[in-house]
Amino acid sequence: MKKKQGSQKPSKPSISHSFIIKMNYPNLPGMLARVTKVIGDEGGDLGNVEILGVIHNRMNRRVTFHAADEKHADLIVKALRKIKTLVVEDVTDEVLKIHEGGKIAIRSKLRLDNRDTLSMAYTPGVARVCQIIAADPLKAFDYTIKKNSVAVVTDGTAVLGLGDIGPEAAMPVMEGKAMLFKEYGAVDAYPICLRTKDVDEIVETICRISPGFGGINLEDISAPRCFEIEEKLKERLDIPVFHDDQHGTAVVVLAAMINACKLTNKKIKSLKVVIVGAGAAGVAIAKILMSAGCSNIIMCDRMGAIHKGRTDLNPMKKWLADHTNPKNEKGGVQESLKKSDVFVGVSGPGIVEPQWLKAMNPNGFVFALANPVPEVPPEEAMKYAAIVATGRSDYPNQINNVLAFPGIFRGALDVRARKITEGMKVAAARAIARCVAPSDLAPDNIIPSVFDYNVGKEVARAVRDEYFANIDS
């Protein structure tokens, strides 16, 4: 089809840009075909088509389509308006619609429809419960929401791929996180967005609100501040603190690597792993792989391989220089990839040229996790690697944190763990890997579906078992 003059059609429509058009037109043969043709010609994907009724010989319909972005949607609507006799009555952005008023709410467990229940749930009965907790603060786990509540805390400095967008703009993501906690871990989570970027202020604020929570999930806080915040909170609090951008990603990466090794008859301890991106996720991935027995890891940042002798390293990168890259290899990403078994990308788009992957060992793994645009196009990576994973839902083997954090917190809350240990994370990764049956393992199926409700249960069980196995340590 010849491109229309002035058209700016984006390449790939997405459900994340879903729109509903309410329209009416003469009830004549061929009119609907004209509507669907315009949507297709403009590069949109047609969704549901509903009949609302026929009034005065005019067909009323509601038509859903998917666009690549808002500008693309505007182009489609403008093209539809050019159809003579067709009237566009309303256009609804479905994503904005489901966010109206927020995505979560608090629900009471009791119906306060009689005096006796009110008297027990609130005054005067509640006073006796308060006295019990005052005498023994640990009773808050028994008689309040504390035992099943997690604070999802951010300062809005590293939100998704959007960066520093502020606490208000971070709220929709934190609400979404709370939904995932509830859906896949039966955990009540609450979004807490802080108007400060100061490390000590963030730590102090979380410590002050901690009595009401059984765990703290740090989210979308920029590196390297996130490392310091997490470590300080671990020192001061007696409840689990978990930075999901670090550890959730790391757990799922390890799970994927375990199953990739099963398929290729490789051993984690024998792998040469190149991790591009030395931020929160990259550091956590390196640490969990070391805990699982992998010793040959090369971390790369914008300046290339992190090695002893570099003078531009912050404290965390100095730690990496001391604990990774055992042969002290130098050079850029391309040089590091030579004779490697695994590439893990947690950086940004276009970091790796596909032909660089030729230098990897046979049956290599490419985990290109930058989202929405991976470090290397997955279609190109598949030409050279045995197994390819991404952070996207429209490719096989999605590395998604939701497979990890709901079950990890569920297990930790169940046993009232004071911290989430490295052993718990490794146990969680192994549990996720086991959720793919041996008969179902395949190069395009090394990770369970994010909609597999059994994953959260298995991860929680593994975390509990690891806790009890090491309860005296």
Side-chain angles (χ1 to χ4, degrees):
M1 183 191 71
K2 188 176 179 180
K3 189 175 178 180
K4 293 182 180 180
Q5 186 70 25
S7 177
Q8 302 177 16
K9 291 182 291 185
S11 58
K12 195 167 185 180
S14 165
I15 190 68
S16 63
H17 290 94
S18 184
F19 297 83
I20 298 176
I21 302 180
K22 186 179 178 184
M23 63 179 68
N24 69 75
Y25 51 75
N27 189 22
L28 299 172
M31 285 296 295
L32 179 60
R34 292 179 64 185
V35 170
T36 59
K37 184 177 186 302
V38 166
I39 293 173
D41 287 350
E42 291 297 323
D45 278 349
L46 184 67
N48 293 333
V49 178
E50 304 170 74
I51 297 176
L52 301 178
V54 179
I55 302 175
H56 303 306
N57 204 33
R58 290 185 69 83
M59 175 64 70
N60 287 260
R61 286 189 185 271
R62 190 159 45 215
V63 176
T64 301
F65 71 89
H66 310 311
D69 53 35
E70 292 87 345
K71 290 182 179 179
H72 185 204
D74 288 342
L75 289 174
I76 293 172
V77 173
K78 287 178 181 177
L80 287 169
R81 291 185 190 276
K82 292 179 181 178
I83 300 177
K84 292 182 179 180
T85 71
L86 182 144
V87 176
V88 174
E89 297 179 8
D90 185 52
V91 181
T92 301
D93 185 326
E94 283 200 277
V95 173
L96 295 183
K97 187 70 175 178
I98 67 170
H99 282 79
E100 284 183 3
K103 302 187 294 287
I104 60 175
I106 292 177
R107 178 183 61 83
S108 174
K109 293 181 178 180
L110 304 174
R111 284 186 59 82
L112 301 179
D113 54 1
N114 63 79
R115 189 175 299 276
D116 288 347
T117 302
L118 180 61
S119 296
M120 289 188 288
Y122 197 52
T123 184
V126 71
R128 189 157 58 89
V129 183
C130 293
Q131 290 173 325
I132 291 171
I133 297 173
D136 180 4
L138 288 179
K139 291 294 183 181
F141 283 101
D142 297 320
Y143 299 120
T144 75
I145 60 174
K146 182 180 178 76
K147 70 175 182 180
N148 195 49
S149 65
V150 168
V152 182
V153 184
T154 189
D155 62 359
T157 55
V159 181
L160 297 176
L162 304 175
D164 186 354
I165 59 174
E168 288 89 355
M171 274 291 289
V173 178
M174 301 309 112
E175 287 185 9
K177 202 79 174 187
M179 292 175 68
L180 296 173
F181 265 109
K182 187 68 173 178
E183 187 73 13
Y184 297 110
V187 174
D188 293 321
Y190 303 85
I192 309 291
C193 298
L194 304 180
R195 195 184 303 284
T196 177
K197 300 178 185 179
D198 182 86
V199 167
D200 291 330
E201 286 186 0
I202 291 171
V203 170
E204 191 62 36
T205 301
I206 293 173
C207 288
R208 289 181 183 276
I209 67 171
S210 65
F213 299 98
I216 305 295
N217 183 90
L218 301 175
E219 191 77 19
D220 293 347
I221 299 174
S222 62
R225 297 156 54 255
C226 58
F227 304 120
E228 186 178 358
I229 291 168
E230 183 182 33
E231 289 307 311
K232 286 187 174 183
L233 287 171
K234 285 179 177 178
E235 291 174 3
R236 292 184 58 179
L237 296 180
D238 60 356
I239 56 175
V241 178
F242 187 83
H243 184 205
D244 184 54
D245 300 313
Q246 293 183 63
H247 310 300
T249 302
V251 166
V252 184
V253 165
L254 176 56
M257 207 168 293
I258 289 170
N259 280 342
C261 284
K262 290 177 184 177
L263 281 172
T264 56
N265 293 316
K266 295 191 177 190
K267 303 293 184 184
I268 286 181
K269 64 181 181 181
S270 302
L271 298 175
K272 177 184 176 182
V273 179
V274 177
I275 301 174
V276 178
V283 172
I285 291 168
K287 287 183 175 181
I288 200 170
L289 291 180
M290 285 188 277
S291 296
C294 182
S295 59
N296 192 1
I297 300 170
I298 299 178
M299 301 288 298
C300 295
D301 61 9
R302 290 183 178 87
M303 302 304 294
I306 294 175
H307 59 83
K308 296 183 182 71
R310 275 183 52 177
T311 59
D312 61 334
L313 304 178
N314 63 34
M316 179 52 68
K317 290 182 181 180
K318 287 180 181 177
W319 185 94
L320 290 170
D322 290 335
H323 292 84
T324 64
N325 198 356
K327 297 180 181 179
N328 209 37
E329 296 184 33
K330 301 176 176 65
V333 175
Q334 183 177 6
E335 290 77 16
S336 298
L337 282 171
K338 293 176 181 177
K339 297 297 181 181
S340 67
D341 298 285
V342 184
F343 164 76
V344 180
V346 279
S347 51
I351 298 296
V352 172
E353 295 292 336
Q355 61 268 24
W356 295 356
L357 303 177
K358 291 181 182 179
M360 294 178 68
N361 287 331
N363 293 321
F365 318 153
V366 172
F367 295 176
L369 307 184
N371 208 345
V373 183
E375 287 81 0
V376 58
E379 298 86 354
E380 294 297 317
M382 291 173 188
K383 297 176 182 178
Y384 307 106
I387 295 171
V388 177
T390 73
R392 292 175 52 141
S393 60
D394 53 350
Y395 287 100
N397 300 327
Q398 184 190 16
I399 305 295
N400 193 318
N401 294 11
V402 73
L403 293 168
F405 67 83
I408 289 174
F409 269 100
R410 176 72 279 149
L413 291 170
D414 288 344
V415 297
R416 294 190 189 176
R418 297 167 65 92
K419 59 183 178 180
I420 294 170
T421 65
E422 205 67 21
M424 290 177 180
K425 297 170 200 172
V426 173
R430 290 174 176 156
I432 293 169
R434 288 194 300 269
C435 286
V436 182
S439 59
D440 294 332
L441 270 180
D444 62 353
N445 190 42
I446 60 170
I447 284 290
S449 166
V450 297
F451 302 110
D452 183 349
Y453 285 85
N454 188 55
V455 174
K457 296 174 183 177
E458 291 302 314
V459 170
R461 181 180 292 112
V463 169
R464 291 193 297 267
D465 290 347
E466 174 68 15
Y467 172 85
F468 286 121
N470 296 277
I471 194 168
D472 295 323
S473 63

